[in-house]
Amino acid sequence: TVLGLFGRALPLLLLFSVGLFVNTEVWQVATTLDGVLFWTVVGFFVLIGLVFLLLRLPGEVGALRDQLRGEGLVDACAASPLAAVARAEVGGTRPDPDPVPLSRRQQGNVLLVLLFSQAVQIALVTVTITGFFLLFGLIAIRPEVVGSWLGEASTAGELARWRWFGHDLVVTRALLHVAGFLGALSGFYFTVYVITDATYRSEFFTEIVEEVRQSLAVRTVYLALVR
């Protein structure tokens, strides 16, 4: 699943972020974010992304419940042990079962499933993008280029240096900050687009939503049988 996630997410996100990585201003901004400021900016992206999810996900749950009527209920139960029962409950002499409202605790559980699933995807994507830019910057962004962008700040934070096929590979604090900054920005971008953009949604959100939809449908049929 993780490999499939990377294969789908990286091409979309790299188109957005590679152009920023070779931008002088991004390096200058990220380099000035030292220590607490850097982690404050990263935390800001995390907080705003979390708030966005918490605002949007209740609407997603409400839309799912509205779909659990008639044939929509039967379709949602199709791959479950209650598939035959759902078909018997819909379209017969009895009225179709209505979805029973979720209690506050149940609503919280459903939202937590969606939130946690998305958070895992976002965290994996963020870490992967950060690692990509660390490796890409180590090879493609030469020390003399960084020096022309940052001046004396380019060598002040040098952390490691070694030779590779006759070339110097230098790990600097600036490289770490730029990679982390763009990783967090890409994670935030991914968070917003995974719910609002049709392409991202079909690739990364629909599967999770369908699992929750099936759970709610089975619950509806089960409660109808109990009644």
Side-chain angles (χ1 to χ4, degrees), residues 108-134:
N109 283 338
V110 174
L111 291 176
L112 187 60
V113 168
L114 291 173
L115 180 64
F116 184 78
S117 299
Q118 287 305 109
V120 169
Q121 284 192 354
I122 294 164
L124 289 172
V125 166
T126 300
V127 171
T128 304
I129 291 291
T130 301
F132 170 84
F133 282 126
L134 279 174

mmCIF file of all heavy atoms in Angstrom, residues 108-134:
data_model
loop_
_atom_site.group_PDB
_atom_site.id
_atom_site.type_symbol
_atom_site.label_atom_id
_atom_site.label_comp_id
_atom_site.label_asym_id
_atom_site.label_seq_id
_atom_site.Cartn_x
_atom_site.Cartn_y
_atom_site.Cartn_z
ATOM 1 N N GLY A 108 -17.582 10.685 16.466
ATOM 2 C CA GLY A 108 -16.152 10.868 16.732
ATOM 3 C C GLY A 108 -15.321 9.704 16.237
ATOM 4 O O GLY A 108 -14.222 9.896 15.700
ATOM 5 N N ASN A 109 -15.831 8.483 16.393
ATOM 6 C CA ASN A 109 -15.094 7.306 15.914
ATOM 7 C C ASN A 109 -14.926 7.327 14.398
ATOM 8 O O ASN A 109 -13.846 7.029 13.876
ATOM 9 C CB ASN A 109 -15.821 6.021 16.342
ATOM 10 C CG ASN A 109 -15.606 5.694 17.805
ATOM 11 O OD1 ASN A 109 -14.638 6.142 18.410
ATOM 12 N ND2 ASN A 109 -16.511 4.931 18.378
ATOM 13 N N VAL A 110 -16.011 7.656 13.700
ATOM 14 C CA VAL A 110 -15.949 7.692 12.238
ATOM 15 C C VAL A 110 -14.984 8.780 11.769
ATOM 16 O O VAL A 110 -14.160 8.566 10.863
ATOM 17 C CB VAL A 110 -17.353 7.913 11.642
ATOM 18 C CG1 VAL A 110 -17.263 8.099 10.133
ATOM 19 C CG2 VAL A 110 -18.250 6.727 11.966
ATOM 20 N N LEU A 111 -15.069 9.957 12.386
ATOM 21 C CA LEU A 111 -14.159 11.040 12.021
ATOM 22 C C LEU A 111 -12.714 10.664 12.318
ATOM 23 O O LEU A 111 -11.798 11.005 11.562
ATOM 24 C CB LEU A 111 -14.531 12.317 12.779
ATOM 25 C CG LEU A 111 -15.846 12.976 12.380
ATOM 26 C CD1 LEU A 111 -16.133 14.174 13.275
ATOM 27 C CD2 LEU A 111 -15.807 13.411 10.913
ATOM 28 N N LEU A 112 -12.491 9.944 13.421
ATOM 29 C CA LEU A 112 -11.136 9.533 13.773
ATOM 30 C C LEU A 112 -10.572 8.560 12.746
ATOM 31 O O LEU A 112 -9.391 8.619 12.411
ATOM 32 C CB LEU A 112 -11.134 8.901 15.168
ATOM 33 C CG LEU A 112 -9.762 8.560 15.745
ATOM 34 C CD1 LEU A 112 -8.910 9.819 15.866
ATOM 35 C CD2 LEU A 112 -9.907 7.874 17.095
ATOM 36 N N VAL A 113 -11.411 7.656 12.233
ATOM 37 C CA VAL A 113 -10.962 6.733 11.188
ATOM 38 C C VAL A 113 -10.494 7.512 9.957
ATOM 39 O O VAL A 113 -9.404 7.270 9.417
ATOM 40 C CB VAL A 113 -12.090 5.752 10.809
ATOM 41 C CG1 VAL A 113 -11.731 4.990 9.536
ATOM 42 C CG2 VAL A 113 -12.334 4.774 11.942
ATOM 43 N N LEU A 114 -11.317 8.447 9.500
ATOM 44 C CA LEU A 114 -10.957 9.244 8.327
ATOM 45 C C LEU A 114 -9.725 10.108 8.596
ATOM 46 O O LEU A 114 -8.816 10.194 7.764
ATOM 47 C CB LEU A 114 -12.133 10.128 7.915
ATOM 48 C CG LEU A 114 -13.357 9.413 7.332
ATOM 49 C CD1 LEU A 114 -14.497 10.396 7.141
ATOM 50 C CD2 LEU A 114 -13.013 8.725 6.021
ATOM 51 N N LEU A 115 -9.700 10.751 9.765
ATOM 52 C CA LEU A 115 -8.593 11.638 10.098
ATOM 53 C C LEU A 115 -7.285 10.877 10.211
ATOM 54 O O LEU A 115 -6.255 11.297 9.672
ATOM 55 C CB LEU A 115 -8.895 12.375 11.408
ATOM 56 C CG LEU A 115 -7.827 13.349 11.898
ATOM 57 C CD1 LEU A 115 -7.667 14.493 10.909
ATOM 58 C CD2 LEU A 115 -8.187 13.892 13.277
ATOM 59 N N PHE A 116 -7.309 9.741 10.897
ATOM 60 C CA PHE A 116 -6.076 8.968 11.075
ATOM 61 C C PHE A 116 -5.577 8.416 9.740
ATOM 62 O O PHE A 116 -4.373 8.433 9.459
ATOM 63 C CB PHE A 116 -6.310 7.830 12.066
ATOM 64 C CG PHE A 116 -5.075 7.041 12.370
ATOM 65 C CD1 PHE A 116 -4.114 7.537 13.238
ATOM 66 C CD2 PHE A 116 -4.863 5.801 11.784
ATOM 67 C CE1 PHE A 116 -2.969 6.820 13.517
ATOM 68 C CE2 PHE A 116 -3.722 5.072 12.056
ATOM 69 C CZ PHE A 116 -2.764 5.578 12.927
ATOM 70 N N SER A 117 -6.499 7.919 8.921
ATOM 71 C CA SER A 117 -6.095 7.382 7.617
ATOM 72 C C SER A 117 -5.436 8.457 6.765
ATOM 73 O O SER A 117 -4.399 8.226 6.134
ATOM 74 C CB SER A 117 -7.317 6.811 6.885
ATOM 75 O OG SER A 117 -7.899 5.766 7.623
ATOM 76 N N GLN A 118 -6.029 9.637 6.753
ATOM 77 C CA GLN A 118 -5.438 10.734 5.989
ATOM 78 C C GLN A 118 -4.121 11.195 6.603
ATOM 79 O O GLN A 118 -3.177 11.521 5.881
ATOM 80 C CB GLN A 118 -6.413 11.905 5.904
ATOM 81 C CG GLN A 118 -7.578 11.667 4.962
ATOM 82 C CD GLN A 118 -7.098 11.289 3.571
ATOM 83 O OE1 GLN A 118 -7.245 10.148 3.154
ATOM 84 N NE2 GLN A 118 -6.513 12.219 2.857
ATOM 85 N N ALA A 119 -4.047 11.234 7.926
ATOM 86 C CA ALA A 119 -2.817 11.675 8.581
ATOM 87 C C ALA A 119 -1.649 10.744 8.264
ATOM 88 O O ALA A 119 -0.520 11.196 8.064
ATOM 89 C CB ALA A 119 -3.035 11.763 10.094
ATOM 90 N N VAL A 120 -1.908 9.445 8.216
ATOM 91 C CA VAL A 120 -0.849 8.495 7.873
ATOM 92 C C VAL A 120 -0.362 8.736 6.445
ATOM 93 O O VAL A 120 0.846 8.771 6.180
ATOM 94 C CB VAL A 120 -1.350 7.046 8.046
ATOM 95 C CG1 VAL A 120 -0.364 6.052 7.444
ATOM 96 C CG2 VAL A 120 -1.563 6.732 9.521
ATOM 97 N N GLN A 121 -1.298 8.904 5.514
ATOM 98 C CA GLN A 121 -0.916 9.189 4.131
ATOM 99 C C GLN A 121 -0.103 10.474 4.042
ATOM 100 O O GLN A 121 0.948 10.517 3.380
ATOM 101 C CB GLN A 121 -2.164 9.322 3.253
ATOM 102 C CG GLN A 121 -2.826 8.017 2.903
ATOM 103 C CD GLN A 121 -3.866 8.195 1.811
ATOM 104 O OE1 GLN A 121 -4.185 9.298 1.388
ATOM 105 N NE2 GLN A 121 -4.401 7.086 1.337
ATOM 106 N N ILE A 122 -0.568 11.517 4.698
ATOM 107 C CA ILE A 122 0.113 12.816 4.628
ATOM 108 C C ILE A 122 1.507 12.728 5.235
ATOM 109 O O ILE A 122 2.475 13.279 4.690
ATOM 110 C CB ILE A 122 -0.730 13.888 5.334
ATOM 111 C CG1 ILE A 122 -2.042 14.120 4.562
ATOM 112 C CG2 ILE A 122 0.039 15.199 5.468
ATOM 113 C CD1 ILE A 122 -3.088 14.859 5.361
ATOM 114 N N ALA A 123 1.636 12.035 6.374
ATOM 115 C CA ALA A 123 2.950 11.901 7.019
ATOM 116 C C ALA A 123 3.925 11.143 6.121
ATOM 117 O O ALA A 123 5.096 11.532 5.983
ATOM 118 C CB ALA A 123 2.802 11.193 8.361
ATOM 119 N N LEU A 124 3.473 10.058 5.503
ATOM 120 C CA LEU A 124 4.344 9.285 4.613
ATOM 121 C C LEU A 124 4.777 10.115 3.410
ATOM 122 O O LEU A 124 5.945 10.085 3.006
ATOM 123 C CB LEU A 124 3.621 8.016 4.147
ATOM 124 C CG LEU A 124 3.417 6.929 5.205
ATOM 125 C CD1 LEU A 124 2.526 5.820 4.666
ATOM 126 C CD2 LEU A 124 4.750 6.356 5.652
ATOM 127 N N VAL A 125 3.833 10.845 2.835
ATOM 128 C CA VAL A 125 4.153 11.687 1.683
ATOM 129 C C VAL A 125 5.149 12.778 2.083
ATOM 130 O O VAL A 125 6.121 13.051 1.368
ATOM 131 C CB VAL A 125 2.870 12.309 1.097
ATOM 132 C CG1 VAL A 125 3.199 13.440 0.125
ATOM 133 C CG2 VAL A 125 2.043 11.238 0.399
ATOM 134 N N THR A 126 4.941 13.408 3.232
ATOM 135 C CA THR A 126 5.827 14.474 3.686
ATOM 136 C C THR A 126 7.241 13.969 3.911
ATOM 137 O O THR A 126 8.215 14.593 3.472
ATOM 138 C CB THR A 126 5.275 15.090 4.993
ATOM 139 O OG1 THR A 126 3.975 15.627 4.755
ATOM 140 C CG2 THR A 126 6.190 16.191 5.498
ATOM 141 N N VAL A 127 7.381 12.840 4.585
ATOM 142 C CA VAL A 127 8.705 12.273 4.843
ATOM 143 C C VAL A 127 9.390 11.885 3.535
ATOM 144 O O VAL A 127 10.595 12.110 3.354
ATOM 145 C CB VAL A 127 8.594 11.060 5.782
ATOM 146 C CG1 VAL A 127 9.925 10.315 5.879
ATOM 147 C CG2 VAL A 127 8.152 11.508 7.168
ATOM 148 N N THR A 128 8.637 11.322 2.610
ATOM 149 C CA THR A 128 9.221 10.900 1.333
ATOM 150 C C THR A 128 9.688 12.103 0.516
ATOM 151 O O THR A 128 10.788 12.085 -0.058
ATOM 152 C CB THR A 128 8.191 10.096 0.522
ATOM 153 O OG1 THR A 128 7.746 8.995 1.303
ATOM 154 C CG2 THR A 128 8.820 9.565 -0.757
ATOM 155 N N ILE A 129 8.875 13.145 0.443
ATOM 156 C CA ILE A 129 9.268 14.345 -0.293
ATOM 157 C C ILE A 129 10.506 14.972 0.335
ATOM 158 O O ILE A 129 11.433 15.408 -0.366
ATOM 159 C CB ILE A 129 8.109 15.364 -0.312
ATOM 160 C CG1 ILE A 129 6.956 14.842 -1.171
ATOM 161 C CG2 ILE A 129 8.576 16.707 -0.850
ATOM 162 C CD1 ILE A 129 7.243 14.785 -2.650
ATOM 163 N N THR A 130 10.555 15.016 1.656
ATOM 164 C CA THR A 130 11.727 15.561 2.344
ATOM 165 C C THR A 130 12.975 14.754 2.005
ATOM 166 O O THR A 130 14.034 15.318 1.696
ATOM 167 C CB THR A 130 11.499 15.560 3.864
ATOM 168 O OG1 THR A 130 10.345 16.352 4.174
ATOM 169 C CG2 THR A 130 12.705 16.125 4.596
ATOM 170 N N GLY A 131 12.859 13.430 2.046
ATOM 171 C CA GLY A 131 14.001 12.579 1.699
ATOM 172 C C GLY A 131 14.434 12.753 0.253
ATOM 173 O O GLY A 131 15.634 12.759 -0.053
ATOM 174 N N PHE A 132 13.475 12.902 -0.647
ATOM 175 C CA PHE A 132 13.807 13.111 -2.056
ATOM 176 C C PHE A 132 14.623 14.378 -2.242
ATOM 177 O O PHE A 132 15.640 14.389 -2.949
ATOM 178 C CB PHE A 132 12.528 13.181 -2.888
ATOM 179 C CG PHE A 132 12.752 13.629 -4.309
ATOM 180 C CD1 PHE A 132 13.127 12.726 -5.289
ATOM 181 C CD2 PHE A 132 12.596 14.967 -4.665
ATOM 182 C CE1 PHE A 132 13.349 13.135 -6.598
ATOM 183 C CE2 PHE A 132 12.809 15.382 -5.968
ATOM 184 C CZ PHE A 132 13.193 14.465 -6.936
ATOM 185 N N PHE A 133 14.190 15.467 -1.611
ATOM 186 C CA PHE A 133 14.905 16.731 -1.786
ATOM 187 C C PHE A 133 16.267 16.724 -1.096
ATOM 188 O O PHE A 133 17.195 17.396 -1.557
ATOM 189 C CB PHE A 133 14.052 17.893 -1.285
ATOM 190 C CG PHE A 133 12.976 18.296 -2.247
ATOM 191 C CD1 PHE A 133 11.651 18.359 -1.862
ATOM 192 C CD2 PHE A 133 13.290 18.600 -3.561
ATOM 193 C CE1 PHE A 133 10.666 18.722 -2.757
ATOM 194 C CE2 PHE A 133 12.311 18.971 -4.468
ATOM 195 C CZ PHE A 133 10.994 19.028 -4.071
ATOM 196 N N LEU A 134 16.401 15.988 -0.013
ATOM 197 C CA LEU A 134 17.723 15.842 0.597
ATOM 198 C C LEU A 134 18.689 15.177 -0.387
ATOM 199 O O LEU A 134 19.821 15.639 -0.589
ATOM 200 C CB LEU A 134 17.624 15.016 1.874
ATOM 201 C CG LEU A 134 17.163 15.749 3.135
ATOM 202 C CD1 LEU A 134 16.973 14.748 4.277
ATOM 203 C CD2 LEU A 134 18.184 16.802 3.533
#
